[in-house]
Amino acid sequence: MTVADNSVTQLRRGVLEHCVLALLAGEPRYGYDLVTELSEAGLIASEGTLYPLLSRLRKEQLVETTWQESSGGPPRRYYSLSPRGESAVAGFRPAWTDFKRSVDDILERRTR
Amino acid sequence: MMTENRHPLVSDYLARLRTEAIRLDAHDASELLADIEAHLAEATPAGTPEADVRNALDRLGSPSELVDAALGGDQRPHTQPPATPAGSGWAEAGAVLGLVGAEVLAIAWPLAIPLWLLGLVCLVVSKRWDAGLKMQGFFAVGLGMPIAWFLVVSAGYASTVCTSQATSGGGESATTCTSSLPQGSGYAVSALIIGFLIFQLITLRKMARAARG
C-alpha cells in the first residue's frame, strides 16, 4: 500500500458511518441499494463489509431496519434513520465542513 | 428460501461464510448470513452468467474479511479467553485448604473449626467461582468437616456392646458382643462415604479448573 492509499483508507473509515447515515436522510433504503451506491462512489473496498457496519449502526440505535417483501424477488432489509441517527447527521454536516476547510487551507498553504 | 435457484458458486461462498462466522456469536453470525444471502440474491438472480457471479463475489469480499469486519466493532472475538483471571487466587487456595484441612482434622475441633470458617469465608469471597460452583463447593467440600466430625462421633457411640454373663455357679463368664446398629448398615454407610468422597473429588477438580482461569 502506498502512503496515499493508506491515508485514504484512514479517512474512509472515519467518515463512512456518517456517509451511510447521510444517505438515509432522504428516505429508507435497502442494503443492496446502499452498498452499490457506496461501492460506485469508491467509499468501500469490499461491499460485504458494509453489512457489519449497518449492524453496528442498528445496535447503536442510529438506524432502524425492517424486512419487506419485494415483488418477484427476495425479501429486502430496509434501513431508516432513527431520531438519534438524524441528530448524528445534523451534527456531522457542520463538523465535516469545518474539517474540510481546515485541511484544504493547510494543503493550499503548503503548495504556495 | 430460493436455494434451488442459487448459483453453485454462491452456495459455496455462503458455506464458507457460515464456517468463518463461527468466530462470531450466534446472533451476529445469523444476521450477517441473512444479509449476505439477501445481497447475493439481488446481485446474482437466476440466469446470471458465471462471470458476473464471480465479479459480484469478488466485490463482496472474502468470508474472512466480512467476519473480521463484524468483529472489528467488538474489542475482542468471542473465542478468546479473558486476559487475566479475577483476583489473585488467594481466596480459592484459602477455601480449598481451609475446608479440606478442616475435614481431615475434623476431630481436632479447636483446629478444625477456625480452618472451616476461614475456608467458608474464602469460598464466599472468591471472584473466580460463580454462584453455582460456590453452592456445589459448599455442599461437597464445605460440609466435609461437619460430616467427618459426625461420623467420628457416631462411630464412637455405635460401638459394639459387650455384655458378660456370669454362668450360674460362679464359673467363667461368657461375653457376647452385639452391635448397636442394624445388620449390614456398615456397608451402606461405607457406600455413602465413598459416594460423597467421589462427589468431593469431582467438585474439587471443577473448582481447581475454574480457579486457574
Side-chain angles (χ1 to χ4, degrees):
Chain A
M1 235 202 243
T2 67
V3 173
D5 288 341
N6 196 33
S7 57
V8 170
T9 308
Q10 300 285 0
L11 268 178
R12 215 188 258 160
R13 269 193 214 123
V15 154
L16 190 53
E17 281 192 14
H18 290 95
C19 284
V20 171
L21 294 175
L23 282 177
L24 294 172
E27 49 170 357
R29 300 180 61 172
Y30 61 99
Y32 184 68
D33 187 33
L34 282 169
V35 163
T36 325
E37 182 164 345
L38 287 164
S39 178
E40 283 167 7
L43 283 174
I44 41 177
S46 20
E47 292 179 351
T49 58
L50 193 73
Y51 292 100
L53 186 149
L54 287 166
S55 174
R56 234 179 345 270
L57 291 174
R58 194 175 49 76
K59 283 180 194 165
E60 291 168 8
Q61 297 178 315
L62 294 166
V63 302
E64 289 153 358
T65 80
T66 48
W67 285 94
Q68 283 177 31
E69 293 294 332
S70 68
S71 47
R76 290 171 173 167
R77 196 204 278 264
Y78 278 83
Y79 296 86
S80 56
L81 280 183
S82 71
R84 269 190 73 176
E86 280 172 12
S87 40
V89 176
F92 180 67
R93 287 188 200 280
W96 172 253
T97 313
D98 290 345
F99 179 73
K100 197 173 60 161
R101 192 180 300 134
S102 308
V103 174
D104 284 340
D105 280 350
I106 289 176
L107 290 177
E108 280 169 28
R109 253 186 270 151
R110 295 288 164 178
T111 55
R112 278 211 203 110
Chain B
M1 282 282 196
M2 307 195 329
T3 42
E4 42 305 309
N5 294 337
R6 219 182 259 163
H7 197 281
L9 285 175
V10 170
S11 304
D12 174 66
Y13 180 92
L14 289 171
R16 284 187 289 129
L17 183 60
R18 202 164 288 129
T19 309
E20 201 65 45
I22 290 174
R23 293 192 275 138
L24 301 172
D25 71 43
H27 179 261
D28 289 347
S30 61
E31 212 182 276
L32 181 63
L33 280 161
D35 283 338
I36 300 300
E37 264 187 68
H39 173 102
L40 286 171
E42 296 264 3
T44 61
T48 306
E50 182 169 317
D52 293 350
V53 172
R54 289 187 185 275
N55 284 334
L57 290 174
D58 285 345
R59 280 198 308 273
L60 196 58
S62 71
S64 58
E65 262 185 271
L66 301 199
V67 173
D68 286 347
L71 286 169
D74 312 340
Q75 291 314 312
R76 209 175 60 211
H78 296 264
T79 47
Q80 268 182 18
T84 46
S88 54
W90 286 110
E92 290 71 28
V96 170
L97 288 174
L99 295 177
V100 173
E103 182 179 335
V104 167
L105 298 171
I107 43 169
W109 58 261
L111 215 56
I113 291 190
L115 267 178
W116 188 65
L117 291 173
L118 172 73
L120 284 179
V121 168
C122 288
L123 179 70
V124 169
V125 303
S126 158
K127 290 197 179 67
R128 298 190 192 179
W129 292 327
D130 62 38
L133 189 53
K134 285 185 190 180
M135 274 304 255
Q136 188 178 345
F138 173 72
F139 283 109
V141 190
L143 292 182
M145 191 279 272
I147 288 176
W149 182 85
F150 173 75
L151 284 174
V152 168
V153 164
S154 53
Y157 282 114
S159 56
T160 54
V161 175
C162 294
T163 54
S164 49
Q165 288 176 316
T167 56
S168 54
E172 282 182 7
S173 58
T175 21
T176 51
C177 291
T178 51
S179 170
S180 63
L181 289 176
Q183 190 86 10
S185 62
Y187 293 114
V189 171
S190 306
L192 281 173
I193 291 174
I194 291 175
F196 182 70
L197 285 175
I198 291 176
F199 178 46
Q200 272 203 334
L201 285 173
I202 291 174
T203 306
L204 282 169
R205 205 178 80 147
K206 212 171 158 184
M207 286 159 81
R209 203 174 278 159
R212 265 196 296 277

Short mmCIF file of all heavy atoms in Angstrom, two decimals, chain B residues 156-198:
data_model
loop_
_atom_site.label_atom_id
_atom_site.label_comp_id
_atom_site.label_asym_id
_atom_site.label_seq_id
_atom_site.Cartn_x
_atom_site.Cartn_y
_atom_site.Cartn_z
N GLY B 156 -18.09 -43.61 67.58
CA GLY B 156 -17.82 -43.84 68.99
C GLY B 156 -19.03 -44.41 69.71
O GLY B 156 -18.91 -45.32 70.53
N TYR B 157 -20.21 -43.88 69.39
CA TYR B 157 -21.43 -44.36 70.04
C TYR B 157 -21.86 -45.71 69.51
O TYR B 157 -22.41 -46.53 70.24
CB TYR B 157 -22.58 -43.36 69.85
CG TYR B 157 -22.46 -42.18 70.77
CD1 TYR B 157 -22.23 -40.90 70.27
CD2 TYR B 157 -22.58 -42.34 72.15
CE1 TYR B 157 -22.12 -39.82 71.11
CE2 TYR B 157 -22.45 -41.27 73.00
CZ TYR B 157 -22.23 -40.01 72.48
OH TYR B 157 -22.11 -38.96 73.33
N ALA B 158 -21.66 -45.89 68.21
CA ALA B 158 -22.15 -47.14 67.61
C ALA B 158 -21.15 -48.26 67.79
O ALA B 158 -20.88 -49.01 66.90
CB ALA B 158 -22.43 -46.92 66.13
N SER B 159 -20.57 -48.33 68.95
CA SER B 159 -19.62 -49.41 69.19
C SER B 159 -20.41 -50.67 69.51
O SER B 159 -21.59 -50.64 69.78
CB SER B 159 -18.72 -49.05 70.36
OG SER B 159 -19.52 -48.78 71.48
N THR B 160 -19.69 -51.73 69.44
CA THR B 160 -20.36 -52.96 69.81
C THR B 160 -20.58 -52.96 71.32
O THR B 160 -19.82 -52.38 72.09
CB THR B 160 -19.50 -54.17 69.42
OG1 THR B 160 -18.21 -53.98 70.01
CG2 THR B 160 -19.36 -54.25 67.92
N VAL B 161 -21.65 -53.53 71.71
CA VAL B 161 -21.99 -53.60 73.14
C VAL B 161 -21.70 -55.02 73.61
O VAL B 161 -22.25 -55.98 73.07
CB VAL B 161 -23.47 -53.26 73.37
CG1 VAL B 161 -23.85 -53.45 74.82
CG2 VAL B 161 -23.72 -51.82 72.93
N CYS B 162 -20.79 -55.05 74.51
CA CYS B 162 -20.45 -56.39 75.00
C CYS B 162 -21.02 -56.58 76.39
O CYS B 162 -20.87 -55.72 77.27
CB CYS B 162 -18.91 -56.56 75.05
SG CYS B 162 -18.17 -56.53 73.41
N THR B 163 -21.65 -57.63 76.54
CA THR B 163 -22.15 -57.96 77.89
C THR B 163 -21.52 -59.27 78.33
O THR B 163 -21.32 -60.18 77.53
CB THR B 163 -23.67 -58.12 77.90
OG1 THR B 163 -24.02 -59.08 76.91
CG2 THR B 163 -24.35 -56.80 77.58
N SER B 164 -21.21 -59.24 79.52
CA SER B 164 -20.69 -60.52 80.04
C SER B 164 -21.73 -61.11 80.97
O SER B 164 -22.38 -60.40 81.75
CB SER B 164 -19.36 -60.28 80.74
OG SER B 164 -19.45 -59.21 81.65
N GLN B 165 -21.90 -62.35 80.82
CA GLN B 165 -22.88 -63.01 81.68
C GLN B 165 -22.16 -64.05 82.52
O GLN B 165 -21.43 -64.88 81.98
CB GLN B 165 -23.94 -63.69 80.81
CG GLN B 165 -24.89 -62.70 80.14
CD GLN B 165 -25.84 -63.44 79.23
OE1 GLN B 165 -25.44 -64.33 78.48
NE2 GLN B 165 -27.12 -63.12 79.31
N ALA B 166 -22.42 -63.88 83.68
CA ALA B 166 -21.83 -64.90 84.56
C ALA B 166 -22.68 -66.15 84.48
O ALA B 166 -23.90 -66.09 84.53
CB ALA B 166 -21.81 -64.35 85.99
N THR B 167 -22.01 -67.25 84.29
CA THR B 167 -22.79 -68.50 84.30
C THR B 167 -23.14 -68.82 85.74
O THR B 167 -22.43 -68.43 86.68
CB THR B 167 -21.96 -69.66 83.71
OG1 THR B 167 -20.75 -69.75 84.45
CG2 THR B 167 -21.65 -69.40 82.24
N SER B 168 -24.23 -69.46 85.82
CA SER B 168 -24.64 -69.78 87.18
C SER B 168 -23.62 -70.74 87.78
O SER B 168 -23.00 -71.56 87.09
CB SER B 168 -26.04 -70.38 87.17
OG SER B 168 -26.06 -71.47 86.28
N GLY B 169 -23.44 -70.59 88.97
CA GLY B 169 -22.48 -71.48 89.65
C GLY B 169 -21.10 -70.87 89.70
O GLY B 169 -20.14 -71.53 90.10
N GLY B 170 -20.95 -69.59 89.31
CA GLY B 170 -19.65 -68.93 89.55
C GLY B 170 -18.59 -69.35 88.58
O GLY B 170 -17.40 -69.23 88.87
N GLY B 171 -18.95 -69.95 87.47
CA GLY B 171 -17.90 -70.36 86.52
C GLY B 171 -17.43 -69.17 85.72
O GLY B 171 -17.65 -68.00 86.07
N GLU B 172 -16.77 -69.50 84.62
CA GLU B 172 -16.25 -68.39 83.78
C GLU B 172 -17.39 -67.60 83.17
O GLU B 172 -18.47 -68.14 82.92
CB GLU B 172 -15.40 -68.96 82.65
CG GLU B 172 -14.03 -69.36 83.15
CD GLU B 172 -13.17 -69.89 82.01
OE1 GLU B 172 -13.64 -69.80 80.84
OE2 GLU B 172 -12.09 -70.38 82.29
N SER B 173 -17.16 -66.33 82.96
CA SER B 173 -18.21 -65.50 82.34
C SER B 173 -18.06 -65.57 80.83
O SER B 173 -16.95 -65.68 80.29
CB SER B 173 -18.11 -64.06 82.83
OG SER B 173 -16.83 -63.57 82.52
N ALA B 174 -19.21 -65.59 80.22
CA ALA B 174 -19.19 -65.60 78.76
C ALA B 174 -19.56 -64.21 78.26
O ALA B 174 -20.48 -63.59 78.80
CB ALA B 174 -20.16 -66.63 78.22
N THR B 175 -18.85 -63.78 77.33
CA THR B 175 -19.18 -62.44 76.81
C THR B 175 -19.78 -62.57 75.42
O THR B 175 -19.31 -63.34 74.60
CB THR B 175 -17.92 -61.57 76.68
OG1 THR B 175 -16.79 -62.42 76.63
CG2 THR B 175 -17.78 -60.61 77.82
N THR B 176 -20.82 -61.86 75.28
CA THR B 176 -21.40 -61.79 73.93
C THR B 176 -21.40 -60.33 73.48
O THR B 176 -21.69 -59.42 74.26
CB THR B 176 -22.84 -62.31 73.90
OG1 THR B 176 -23.57 -61.64 74.92
CG2 THR B 176 -22.90 -63.81 74.12
N CYS B 177 -21.04 -60.16 72.26
CA CYS B 177 -20.99 -58.79 71.73
C CYS B 177 -21.99 -58.64 70.61
O CYS B 177 -22.04 -59.48 69.70
CB CYS B 177 -19.59 -58.48 71.19
SG CYS B 177 -18.36 -58.35 72.49
N THR B 178 -22.75 -57.61 70.73
CA THR B 178 -23.65 -57.31 69.62
C THR B 178 -23.50 -55.84 69.26
O THR B 178 -23.28 -54.98 70.11
CB THR B 178 -25.13 -57.55 70.00
OG1 THR B 178 -25.38 -56.86 71.22
CG2 THR B 178 -25.43 -59.02 70.17
N SER B 179 -23.60 -55.60 68.03
CA SER B 179 -23.51 -54.21 67.58
C SER B 179 -24.84 -53.51 67.83
O SER B 179 -25.89 -54.13 67.76
CB SER B 179 -23.19 -54.19 66.08
OG SER B 179 -23.33 -52.88 65.60
N SER B 180 -24.75 -52.22 68.17
CA SER B 180 -26.00 -51.50 68.43
C SER B 180 -26.66 -51.03 67.14
O SER B 180 -27.72 -50.46 67.14
CB SER B 180 -25.73 -50.28 69.34
OG SER B 180 -24.87 -49.40 68.67
N LEU B 181 -26.00 -51.27 66.03
CA LEU B 181 -26.60 -50.86 64.76
C LEU B 181 -27.18 -52.09 64.06
O LEU B 181 -26.72 -53.20 64.27
CB LEU B 181 -25.52 -50.26 63.85
CG LEU B 181 -24.99 -48.89 64.24
CD1 LEU B 181 -23.88 -48.47 63.30
CD2 LEU B 181 -26.10 -47.86 64.25
N PRO B 182 -28.18 -51.86 63.18
CA PRO B 182 -28.77 -52.99 62.47
C PRO B 182 -27.75 -53.65 61.55
O PRO B 182 -26.77 -53.05 61.12
CB PRO B 182 -29.90 -52.36 61.63
CG PRO B 182 -29.93 -50.93 61.96
CD PRO B 182 -28.84 -50.60 62.89
N GLN B 183 -28.00 -54.91 61.25
CA GLN B 183 -27.09 -55.70 60.42
C GLN B 183 -26.92 -55.07 59.05
O GLN B 183 -27.87 -54.62 58.43
CB GLN B 183 -27.70 -57.10 60.25
CG GLN B 183 -26.78 -58.13 59.62
CD GLN B 183 -25.90 -58.79 60.68
OE1 GLN B 183 -26.13 -58.61 61.88
NE2 GLN B 183 -24.91 -59.55 60.25
N GLY B 184 -25.67 -55.01 58.54
CA GLY B 184 -25.46 -54.56 57.17
C GLY B 184 -25.37 -53.06 56.98
O GLY B 184 -25.03 -52.58 55.91
N SER B 185 -25.68 -52.32 58.10
CA SER B 185 -25.64 -50.86 57.90
C SER B 185 -24.21 -50.38 57.69
O SER B 185 -23.99 -49.32 57.12
CB SER B 185 -26.26 -50.15 59.10
OG SER B 185 -25.51 -50.45 60.25
N GLY B 186 -23.25 -51.17 58.12
CA GLY B 186 -21.86 -50.79 57.90
C GLY B 186 -21.56 -50.62 56.42
O GLY B 186 -20.88 -49.68 56.01
N TYR B 187 -22.10 -51.53 55.60
CA TYR B 187 -21.85 -51.44 54.16
C TYR B 187 -22.51 -50.20 53.57
O TYR B 187 -21.93 -49.53 52.73
CB TYR B 187 -22.39 -52.70 53.46
CG TYR B 187 -21.61 -53.94 53.84
CD1 TYR B 187 -22.24 -54.97 54.57
CD2 TYR B 187 -20.27 -54.10 53.49
CE1 TYR B 187 -21.54 -56.11 54.93
CE2 TYR B 187 -19.58 -55.23 53.84
CZ TYR B 187 -20.20 -56.24 54.57
OH TYR B 187 -19.51 -57.35 54.94
N ALA B 188 -23.73 -49.94 54.02
CA ALA B 188 -24.46 -48.79 53.48
C ALA B 188 -23.72 -47.50 53.78
O ALA B 188 -23.55 -46.64 52.92
CB ALA B 188 -25.88 -48.74 54.07
N VAL B 189 -23.25 -47.40 55.04
CA VAL B 189 -22.54 -46.19 55.42
C VAL B 189 -21.26 -46.04 54.61
O VAL B 189 -20.93 -44.96 54.12
CB VAL B 189 -22.23 -46.20 56.94
CG1 VAL B 189 -21.30 -45.07 57.30
CG2 VAL B 189 -23.51 -46.11 57.74
N SER B 190 -20.55 -47.16 54.44
CA SER B 190 -19.32 -47.10 53.65
C SER B 190 -19.60 -46.64 52.23
O SER B 190 -18.87 -45.83 51.66
CB SER B 190 -18.63 -48.47 53.61
OG SER B 190 -18.43 -48.94 54.91
N ALA B 191 -20.67 -47.17 51.66
CA ALA B 191 -21.01 -46.79 50.28
C ALA B 191 -21.31 -45.30 50.19
O ALA B 191 -20.86 -44.61 49.26
CB ALA B 191 -22.20 -47.60 49.79
N LEU B 192 -22.06 -44.81 51.19
CA LEU B 192 -22.39 -43.38 51.18
C LEU B 192 -21.13 -42.53 51.31
O LEU B 192 -20.98 -41.51 50.64
CB LEU B 192 -23.34 -43.06 52.35
CG LEU B 192 -24.81 -43.42 52.13
CD1 LEU B 192 -25.59 -43.21 53.42
CD2 LEU B 192 -25.40 -42.57 51.01
N ILE B 193 -20.23 -42.99 52.19
CA ILE B 193 -18.99 -42.21 52.38
C ILE B 193 -18.20 -42.17 51.08
O ILE B 193 -17.71 -41.10 50.67
CB ILE B 193 -18.15 -42.82 53.52
CG1 ILE B 193 -18.84 -42.60 54.86
CG2 ILE B 193 -16.75 -42.20 53.54
CD1 ILE B 193 -18.17 -43.28 56.02
N ILE B 194 -18.08 -43.33 50.44
CA ILE B 194 -17.32 -43.37 49.19
C ILE B 194 -17.97 -42.47 48.15
O ILE B 194 -17.30 -41.71 47.44
CB ILE B 194 -17.19 -44.82 48.69
CG1 ILE B 194 -16.27 -45.60 49.64
CG2 ILE B 194 -16.64 -44.86 47.26
CD1 ILE B 194 -16.16 -47.07 49.32
N GLY B 195 -19.28 -42.55 48.06
CA GLY B 195 -20.00 -41.70 47.11
C GLY B 195 -19.76 -40.22 47.37
O GLY B 195 -19.49 -39.43 46.47
N PHE B 196 -19.80 -39.87 48.64
CA PHE B 196 -19.60 -38.47 49.00
C PHE B 196 -18.18 -38.02 48.66
O PHE B 196 -17.96 -36.92 48.15
CB PHE B 196 -19.89 -38.26 50.49
CG PHE B 196 -19.73 -36.82 50.93
CD1 PHE B 196 -20.63 -35.86 50.52
CD2 PHE B 196 -18.66 -36.44 51.73
CE1 PHE B 196 -20.50 -34.54 50.90
CE2 PHE B 196 -18.52 -35.11 52.13
CZ PHE B 196 -19.44 -34.16 51.72
N LEU B 197 -17.21 -38.91 48.92
CA LEU B 197 -15.81 -38.54 48.62
C LEU B 197 -15.60 -38.35 47.12
O LEU B 197 -14.88 -37.46 46.69
CB LEU B 197 -14.85 -39.62 49.15
CG LEU B 197 -14.65 -39.60 50.67
CD1 LEU B 197 -13.79 -40.78 51.11
CD2 LEU B 197 -14.00 -38.30 51.11
N ILE B 198 -16.27 -39.21 46.33
CA ILE B 198 -16.17 -39.06 44.88
C ILE B 198 -16.75 -37.70 44.47
O ILE B 198 -16.17 -36.98 43.66
CB ILE B 198 -16.89 -40.22 44.16
CG1 ILE B 198 -16.11 -41.52 44.39
CG2 ILE B 198 -17.02 -39.94 42.67
CD1 ILE B 198 -16.78 -42.74 43.81
#
